[in-house]
């Protein structure tokens, strides 16, 4: 048993426990420090993760846990996201009346869940890791317990999440029953014989339901807008980036490591889900006035784009997903940072409260605009190249199955629709003038630094994607495609 | 790559300028403007240098620079010039400088404006200089975004927001269609490289299967077509240009719009000649929509900007016609039209912008008889409008006539109608504009106009007009440079023609020519 | 146990699962919804145990163990939420939880 | 050299001397006079058949398309060159006086020089494309000149109309050029000519069509029916412009072009050309007799004479056509300048019924005008007689019906011209202005005198020799042949000669009878409604107006509404609206009620299962 | 044979009480639902016993009946929740719900019906005994990692519950 492979997760968990404990003795006025410490700690772990290199897959806990380039990629991804979200939480801390220390801790625990999920090589571990994430998010979502919206979001997320979990458990049961194992390696070994077994397929479908809920894919996307809107902003950010990425990595692992044959049989399903998700998210976002809710819908649409890569069932598609997620990370976090800071001034995320932002804070305005532009998939930002790779991957498959071309068309329609509302945000930010009462917004140094980091990330990925693409390509080599 | 090509410098200047502007404090208005002017001027000088040093006798692209960008999928930063784009780059640089000059009309948010302007210029120049499919598209998109934002922020008129959305959505659809086509092309060609030169060579050696060609070509045709306002996807253009700030309209209508045409010539036709043959008939008839339909629409416009916008759409029809003819003359003509129209559109929009600043309206039922008050601008405007209806001496005439000669053999009927559109319809609306706005008695309320007296103010107009006249008088400056490259394209297209059914086309010619015989007496009225 | 095979257990678990699902879909008290969710998880547990038994593989039972724990954790968080919510709204009705919509 | 002098002058004026009237006038006049002298010098040195027949330079070439710019010197172009520079020079000088008051004279002379340049370009062009280019340039410079007083709505409208009508003709011309190029593969006159000579059927089935299309160009420029409407309106320009453009040079370009490309025209095409020419001349003559504006009378007379020339071309008579063109250029320019002198003297009064008795007050003008009139009417021994006679002879030999028309037109010509003379110059002054008119200054009368020289004598030496190609027939003409020539019309075709003279005489008599002392026009009473029909030019303008309104405007309106409602409205707005609606409708699913979400979740699962497992 | 009868009895009772949890025609009181839930869980424990999962049966009763349901009841009592008010009975919603759930069940049952009957014919007689010792062994050796993760999960849940339900914090 090679426990040392889990060093990163262990570090995060220890950090979480440490924060929890330190919080007990820390005086009120130094709370801010706690957040910075947590962020710095995560950052440190992130840096440390670069000391680890995994030339080939290594296993621990009886092949339940795997450490391979894909896992490492996502661990770093989550660590990065975690560091930024923690910084964001510090910014948000005055709006959480109680237990900010616990907030950081739970974020860290959720983070560790995501990191475990990245390494999951067994359905049981998948389930447990996902539940850790989910339960942590139940708490994070309803953390503003004096805010009815936050509580409501928590309840909604909890009920639907538990529903999805139930399906997932049932699915795991069925898979276990037919393949007689929950380990991916074993499933892959017997998949040839069981892939025609309807019970096995049913199991896979139920597991997909559970994951579909996590990434907010159609038809399990209903929760996203409400929860995005109601949750505290850092939670939303982490939900948008971390939870979605965790769902995606598990989806990829299960589909392409455990049951690749089934994945290639089910392309039509994936195509339909991806297409409908894109359309649904974009169409619903059109008339949206609440920016967080809009981003909720947009996250549905982006789940659809990510599913493009899944639907392609190819190395190119998977690597495109990884790249896309990386771009999405910077973009969404930048957007939520701005929202978080602006909402600190006015407790309202209606788009109208962003009017004249350019005059109140040019940096925030530019950041939000850049984020929107990147989300819309316009060069030179990361979103463009990600979409480019995804579309390329899908078109690549078009020769085998014409349905892919329809999917491409749908994706295009989605992109065009999305332009409308993304640019609507940009318009509000720049076209209008601030109402007289609104003062200019000050941005603290760490946040400024963070924003710069996000912008640099977006630009770097958009302008010099070579390294990231290579990284993604190396990471997806683990799949059996 | 040890050396850095002049072209790279040419692209770099606007971006460098943009960065410098981004770093300057927002109160340094003069410095910001100076940086913008200087960087575009440097680009212009480099473009002139490239143009003069360009050796038409070499078929390979020159001033090449190639840096691997994304190794895994074969994207590289690859720029260079050959006959197809050398003129366009020069034109783009001229228009860019002129656009920077006329930007003095901007009164708010200089910093953002000039930043976006320079990014747009860099993108435009990059799109035309790229020899890599990805960067070709990338730069174009890069230039589009500032366009949208500038229209929205500094645009004029009440419905600029609607116009912004319309232009955004339309152009995005077009660009995305083209993107799909480009990706599909890349993949069908083996998925190893985005390099245009390599792809062209590879595809001429082993052409794509006809099914693939017929799948990809329409994507490119309509994708690029929407970008160039191919009828009936043109409605964004007049509206958008009417709403755009002057420099944006100049750059977009003048240069960026040509991207689609350039793409057709550079990519679609040489790489998929067979499909090109079967689709060019469609294009030929759609271009009639541009020439005649939009010409008629232009006749009805009451606003000068809308008139110019529609006429610019109509002019695109000639370039389409040239491309549709798929022969050396037609393609050369199309490029000439592109260059000429680029200069002309920039000039007209610059002038319209000047007038608008003076009058705050360009409705032709309100402003009348301006010439005596603004002799310089008026005269230049009249010359520009006359150039717009294809007057010899201006570069447009050369391009249009060349297109007609090129297209005549393929589509006599279409060409006849296009000639009608060029000579008669074009004449009607341009003269109408001159007649109402500049001639006739002056209208009350517009008697406080000031003419452009300052030499610096005059510079952009004179520069554009001078280039138009220069290329109009000495078209060989351009045509000799274009010809070898256009010939290569036409040859690739011709190879496919021989392989496809020749009988059908001759039949078509015969029927078409009998049509023309019957149509001439009626069309003479 | 000759006549009773895996499929019987599975049918029972499926039926129970669907009963739970039905409860989630139709009941309007959040508490009862939680209970229905418990039913669903229990149904899954039944399936797991049956699978485990008929496959001769203990892993299924381990999974049940985890499921029970997770269910308990979820329910506790959920109930805490209800308490918090009830303090704000004096209601555990789902129809009162619609401040965010459209 | 001759070609570029005016261009340089034009550029010079635009760049340096726009504000300075004297300099610009001097530049312009200097250029054209120098051109005239150079031409004479050239002819004197090289004769009518220069060794260097054609020099060209490649202007533009792509593939099969070679557009060359060249100078083609042959008798035809040299003659035309003389006409353009000579008559044009006189008009330039005259303009100096006529425009001395105008503040924008600089612009005027720039346009004038540009016009001269373009005209010379047409004359000297060696290929179709070059000719077309200058053809268009002539169009635009005439546009500038007609619309010189652009503040006047009528002038602005007239210039627009002229340009557009010309454009219509150019449309056909360009199509014709394209057609010729497509079948013969060249645009060079020389190459084309040899190709046609080598193989008369080279143009194939399209020969007639191509010929007629090219003729369209001439119809536009030479204002033949049905595109004649612009010419009378063009009289809104300053009078020297009318003289230059609409009498001497521009309108002659069409005829010149027809002569130049005569080899391309086959019999059916010529037939059509002849009839159009004949019809135009008759129509214009009829209209002319009921016009009251002095310049309009002259304009219609020009139309009529152009019809003559075109008819002559159509009857295979390029030589008579060119001959008449030459003589007509000089005497019509003379007449226009005379009219201009009158107008100037009367402070821009153009109605002949408000003149009268000018003979005494403006003797130079009167006598030169009379000379011009006599020439126009074809009274021997003035030049018009000889040229007209040749056309009549041509018609007599080829087409008796057209001959009849021609004679009738000759009679009408004499009638309306002498109506003009009698009403305007004889009798008594009918207005204040005419009573106090003064003779124009020398700078205006000297061109009149200069122009009256060829008016009187041009007929003496004829131009057949030029085209016959034998011997050098220059300025030095032997007196024997001159005398012989003088009477040759009577000797070799007496019928047509006498018919012409007779018709003219009859016309003069009629005019004398009717207008000797008339204070108002007696004709309206005599023919009633017809008069107003004639006076209103057979309502051509109105008909065209309606026609254009019904065709182009309707099409434009149609296109515009399609653009606005169908493409912009139905499609764009429709798609946009549908999308928006779909968004709003889908949004309704998000009721905020968790139960709905769960239900949809369940439905989703059901759907998913059905989709994947429903049909095993 | 006894086992067979017991299976049918327990199954029937499980399902019946399950139905009564969600759709009690008599009472809409959450307490009733909770009580029937206890019954369901008890009967299911019986099924577990039939499947020789003795340890799990015990856990089931202890954790669910002993802890979870008590928690439910505790909350119900704490909040003094009354009967679920019947506002508008959403017949359409319920109808669609029944339809959707029925179709899910139908599809699941059909899929389950496709298992080859060999599993039930007793050809491979199951021998697995769900005793405590092997379970514990597996749990603390092979499944140590998920177990530990679960402990974190419980920690998270604990922290969360305290934060959410505490009346006033500091």
């Amino acid at each position: 048993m090679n426990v040392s492979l889990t060093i990163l997760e262990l570090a995060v968990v220890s950090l979480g426990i440490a924060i929890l404990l330190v919080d007990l003795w820390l005086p009120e006025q130094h709370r801010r420090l706690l957040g910075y410490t947590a962020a710095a700690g995560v950052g440190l772990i992130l840096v440390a993760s670069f000391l680890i290199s995994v030339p080939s897959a290594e296993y621990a806990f009886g092949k339940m846990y795997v450490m391979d380039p894909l896992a490492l990629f996502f661990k770093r991804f989550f660590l990065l996201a975690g560091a930024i979200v923690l910084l964001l939480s510090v910014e948000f801390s005055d709006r959480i009346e109680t237990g900010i220390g616990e907030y950081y801790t739970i974020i860290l625990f959720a983070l560790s869940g995501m990191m475990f999920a990245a390494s999951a090589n067994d359905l049981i571990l998948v389930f447990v890791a996902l539940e850790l994430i989910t339960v942590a998010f139940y708490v994070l979502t309803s953390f503003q317990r004096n805010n009815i919206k936050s509580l409501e979001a928590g309840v909604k997320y909890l009920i639907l999440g538990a529903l999805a979990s139930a399906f997932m458990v049932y699915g795991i049961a069925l898979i276990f029953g037919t393949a007689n194992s929950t380990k991916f390696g074993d499933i892959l070994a017997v998949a040839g014989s069981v892939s025609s077994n309807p019970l096995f397929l049913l199991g896979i479908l139920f597991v997909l339901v559970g994951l579909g809920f996590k990434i907010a894919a159609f038809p399990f996307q209903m929760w996203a807008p409400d929860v995005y809107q109601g949750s505290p902003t850092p939670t939303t950010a982490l939900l948008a980036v971390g939870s979605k990425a965790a769902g995606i990595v598990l989806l990829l692992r299960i589909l392409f490591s455990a049951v690749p044959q089934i994945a290639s049989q089910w392309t039509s399903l994936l195509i339909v889900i991806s297409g409908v998700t894109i359309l649904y998210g974009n169409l619903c976002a059109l008339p949206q006035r609440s920016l967080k809710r809009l981003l909720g819908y947009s996250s549905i649409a982006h789940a659809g784009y990510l599913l493009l890569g899944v639907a392609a069932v190819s190395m190119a598609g998977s690597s495109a997903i990884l790249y896309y997620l990386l771009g999405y990370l910077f973009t969404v976090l930048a957007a939520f940072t701005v929202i978080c800071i602006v909402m600190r001034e006015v407790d309202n995320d209606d788009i109208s409260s962003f009017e004249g932002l350019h005059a109140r804070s040019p940096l925030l305005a530019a950041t939000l605009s850049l984020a929107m532009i990147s989300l819309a998939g316009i060069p030179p930002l990361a979103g463009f190249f990600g979409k480019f790779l995804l579309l390329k991957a899908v078109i690549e498959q078009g020769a085998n199955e014409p349905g892919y071309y329809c999917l491409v068309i749908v994706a295009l329609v989605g992109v065009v629709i999305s332009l409308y509302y993304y640019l609507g945000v940009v318009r509000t930010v720049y076209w209008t003038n601030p109402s007289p009462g609104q003062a200019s917004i000050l941005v603290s140094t760490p946040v400024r630094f963070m924003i710069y980091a996000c912008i640099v990330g977006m630009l770097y990925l958009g302008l010099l994607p070579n390294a990231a693409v290579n990284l993604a390509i190396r990471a997806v080599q683990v799949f059996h495609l | 790559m040890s050396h850095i090509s002049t072209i790279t410098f040419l692209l770099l200047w606007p971006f460098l300028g943009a960065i410098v502007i981004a770093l300057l404090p927002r109160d340094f208005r003069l410095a910001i403007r100076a940086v913008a002017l200087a960087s575009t001027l440097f680009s212009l000088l480099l473009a002139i240098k490239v143009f003069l040093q360009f050796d038409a006798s070499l078929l390979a692209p020159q001033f090449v620079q190639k840096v691997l960008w994304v190794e895994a999928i074969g994207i590289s930063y690859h720029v260079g010039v050959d006959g197809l784009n050398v003129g366009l780059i020069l034109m783009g640089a001229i228009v860019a400088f002129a656009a920077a000059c006329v930007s003095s009309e901007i009164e708010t948010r200089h910093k953002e404006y000039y930043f976006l302007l320079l990014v747009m210029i860099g993108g435009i120049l990059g799109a035309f200089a790229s020899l890599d499919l990805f960067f070709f598209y990338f730069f174009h998109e890069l230039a589009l975004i500032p366009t949208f934002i500038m229209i929205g922020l500094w645009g004029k008129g009440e419905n600029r927001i609607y116009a912004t959305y319309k232009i955004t959505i339309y152009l995005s659809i077009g660009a995305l269609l083209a993107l799909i086509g480009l990706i599909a092309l890349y993949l069908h060609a083996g998925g190893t490289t985005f390099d245009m030169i390599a792809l062209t060579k590879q595809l001429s050696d082993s052409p794509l299967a006809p099914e693939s060609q017929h799948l990809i070509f329409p994507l490119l045709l309509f994708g690029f077509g929407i970008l160039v306002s191919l009828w009936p996807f043109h409605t964004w253009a007049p509206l958008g240009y009417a709403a755009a700030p002057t420099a944006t309209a100049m750059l977009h209508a003048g240069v960026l719009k040509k991207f689609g045409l350039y793409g057709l010539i550079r990519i679609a036709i040489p790489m998929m000649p067979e499909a090109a043959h079967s689709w060019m008939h469609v294009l030929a008839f759609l271009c009639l929509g541009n020439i005649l339909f939009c010409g008629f629409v232009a006749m009805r416009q009451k606003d000068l900007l809308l008139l110019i916008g529609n006429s610019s759409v109509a002019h695109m029809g000639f370039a389409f016609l040239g491309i549709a003819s798929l022969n050396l003359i037609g393609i050369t003509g199309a490029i000439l039209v592109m260059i000429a129209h680029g200069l002309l559109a920039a000039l007209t929009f610059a002038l319209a912008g000047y007038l608008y600043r003076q009058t705050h309206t360009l409705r032709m039922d309100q402003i009348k008889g301006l010439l005596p008050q603004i002799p310089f601008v008026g005269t230049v405007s009249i010359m520009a409008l006359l150039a717009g209806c294809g007057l010899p001496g201006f570069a447009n005439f050369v391009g249009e006539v060349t297109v007609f000669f090129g297209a005549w053999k393929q589509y006599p009927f279409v060409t006849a109608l296009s000639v009608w559109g060029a000579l008669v319809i074009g004449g009607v609306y341009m003269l109408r504009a001159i007649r109402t706005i500049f001639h006739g008695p002056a209208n009350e309320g517009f008697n406080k106009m000031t003419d452009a007296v300052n030499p610096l103010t005059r510079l952009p107009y004179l520069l554009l007009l001078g280039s138009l006249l220069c290329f109009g008088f000495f078209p060989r400056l351009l045509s000799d440079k274009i010809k070898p490259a256009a010939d290569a394209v036409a040859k690739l297209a011709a190879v496919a023609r021989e392989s496809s059914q020749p009988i059908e086309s001759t039949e078509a010619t015969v029927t078409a020519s009998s049509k023309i015989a019957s149509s001439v007496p009626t069309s003479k009225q | 146990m000759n006549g009773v095979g895996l499929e019987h257990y599975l049918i029972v678990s499926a039926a129970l699962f669907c009963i739970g699902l039905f409860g989630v879909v139709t009941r309007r008290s959040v508490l009862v919804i939680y209970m229905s969710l418990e039913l669903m998880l229990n149904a899954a547990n039944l399936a797991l145990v049956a699978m485990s038994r008929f496959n001769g593989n203990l892993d299924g039972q381990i999974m049940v163990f985890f499921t029970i724990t997770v269910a308990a954790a979820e329910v506790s968080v959920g109930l805490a939420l209800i308490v918090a919510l009830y303090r704000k709204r004096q209601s555990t009705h789902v129809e009162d939880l619609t401040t965010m919509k459209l | 050299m001759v070609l570029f002098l005016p261009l340089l002058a034009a550029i010079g004026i635009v760049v340096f001397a726009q504000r300075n009237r004297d300099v610009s006038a001097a530049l312009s006049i200097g250029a054209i006079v120098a051109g005239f002298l150079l031409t004479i010098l050239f002819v004197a040195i090289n004769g009518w058949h220069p060794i260097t027949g054609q020099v060209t330079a490649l202007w533009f070439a792509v593939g099969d398309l070679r557009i060359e710019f060249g100078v083609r010197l042959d008798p035809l172009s040299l003659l035309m060159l003389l006409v353009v520079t000579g008559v044009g020079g006189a008009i330039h000088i005259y303009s100096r006086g006529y425009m001395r008051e105008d503040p924008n004279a600089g612009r005027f002379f720039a346009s004038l020089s540009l016009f001269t340049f373009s005209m010379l370009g047409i004359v000297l062009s060696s290929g179709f494309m070059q000719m077309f280019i200058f053809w268009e340039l002539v169009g635009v410079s005439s546009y500038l000149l007609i619309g010189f007083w652009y503040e006047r709505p009528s002038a602005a409208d007239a210039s627009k109309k002229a340009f557009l009508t010309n454009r219509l003709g150019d449309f056909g011309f360009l199509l014709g050029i394209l057609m010729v190029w497509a079948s013969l593969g060249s645009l060079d006159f020389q190459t084309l000519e040899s190709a046609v000579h080598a193989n008369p059927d080279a143009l194939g089935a399209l020969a007639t069509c191509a010929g007629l299309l090219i003729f369209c160009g001439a119809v536009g420029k030479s204002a033949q029916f049905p595109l004649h409407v612009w010419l009378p309106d063009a009289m809104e320009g300053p009078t020297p412009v009318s003289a230059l453009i609409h009498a001497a040079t521009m309108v002659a370009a069409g005829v010149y072009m027809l002569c130049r490309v005569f080899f391309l025209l086959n019999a059916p095409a010529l037939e059509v050309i002849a009839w159009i020419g004949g019809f135009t001349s008759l129509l214009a003559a009829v209209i002319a007799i009921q016009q009251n504006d002095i310049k309009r009378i002259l304009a219609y007379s020009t139309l009529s004479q152009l019809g003559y020339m075109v008819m002559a071309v159509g009857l295979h008579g390029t030589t008579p056509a060119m001959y008449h063109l030459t003589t007509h250029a000089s005497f019509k320019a003379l007449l226009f300048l005379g009219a201009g002198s009158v107008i100037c003297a009367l402070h821009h009064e153009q109605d002949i019924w408000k003149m009268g008795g000018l003979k005494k007050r403006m003797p130079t003008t009167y006598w030169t005008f009379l000379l011009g009139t006599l020439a126009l009417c074809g009274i021997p021994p003035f030049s018009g007689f000889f040229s007209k006679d040749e056309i009549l002879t041509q018609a007599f030999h080829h087409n008796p019906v057209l001959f009849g028309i021609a004679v009738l037109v000759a009679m009408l010509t004499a009638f309306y011209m002498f109506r003009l003379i009698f009403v305007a110059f004889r009798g008594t002054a009918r207005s204040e202005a005419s009573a106090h008119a003064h003779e124009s200054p020398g700078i205006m009368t000297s061109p009149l005198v200069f122009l009256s020289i060829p008016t009187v004598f041009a007929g003496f030496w004829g131009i057949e020799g030029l085209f016959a190609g034998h011997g050098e027939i220059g300025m030095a003409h032997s007196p024997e042949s001159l005398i012989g020539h003088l009477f040759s019309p009577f000797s070799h075709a007496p019928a047509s000669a006498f018919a012409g003279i007779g018709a003219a005489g009859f016309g003069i008599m009629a005019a004398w009878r009717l207008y000797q002392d008339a204070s108002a026009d007696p004709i309206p009473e005599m023919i009633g409604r017809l008069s107003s029909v004639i006076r209103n030019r057979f309502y051509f303008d109105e008909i065209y107006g309606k026609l254009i309104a019904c065709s182009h405007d309707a099409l434009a309106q149609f296109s515009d509404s399609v653009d606005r409602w169908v493409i912009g409205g139905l499609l764009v707005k429709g798609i946009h609206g549908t999308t928006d609606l779909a968004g709003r409708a889908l949004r309704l699913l998000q009721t905020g009620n968790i139960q709905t979400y769960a239900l949809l979740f369940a439905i989703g699962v059901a759907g998913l299962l059905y989709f994947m497992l429903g049909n095993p | 044979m006894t086992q067979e009868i017991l299976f049918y009895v327990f199954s029937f009772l499980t399902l019946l009480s399950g139905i009564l949890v969600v759709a009690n025609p008599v009472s809409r009181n959450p307490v009733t639902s909770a009580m029937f839930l206890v019954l369901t869980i008890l009967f299911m424990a019986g099924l577990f016993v039939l499947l020789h999962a003795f340890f799990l049966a015990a856990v089931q009763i202890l954790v669910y009946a002993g802890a979870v349901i008590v928690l439910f009841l505790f909350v119900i009592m704490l909040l003094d929740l009354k009967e679920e008010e019947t506002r508008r009975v959403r017949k359409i919603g319920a109808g669609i719900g029944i339809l959707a759930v029925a179709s899910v069940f139908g599809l699941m049952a059909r899929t389950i019906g496709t298992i080859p009957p060999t599993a039930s014919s007793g050809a491979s007689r199951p021998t697995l005994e769900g005793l405590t010792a092997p379970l514990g062994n597996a749990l603390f050796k092979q499944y140590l990692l998920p177990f530990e993760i679960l402990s974190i999960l419980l920690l998270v849940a604990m922290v969360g519950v305290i934060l959410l339900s505490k009346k006033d914090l500091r």
Side-chain angles (χ1 to χ4, degrees), chain A residues 203-223:
Chain A
I204 299 284
L205 272 182
F206 276 5
V207 171
L208 290 190
V209 169
L211 294 176
F213 167 81
K214 283 253 91 132
I215 60 173
F218 181 88
F220 316 112
Q221 82 295 2
M222 309 300 293
W223 59 275

Side-chain angles (χ1 to χ4, degrees), chain D residues 194-218:
Chain D
S194 47
V196 172
H197 280 313
N199 178 11
D201 294 329
L203 269 172
L206 297 170
T208 313
C209 184
L212 285 178
L213 283 172
I214 290 175
F215 173 60
C216 275

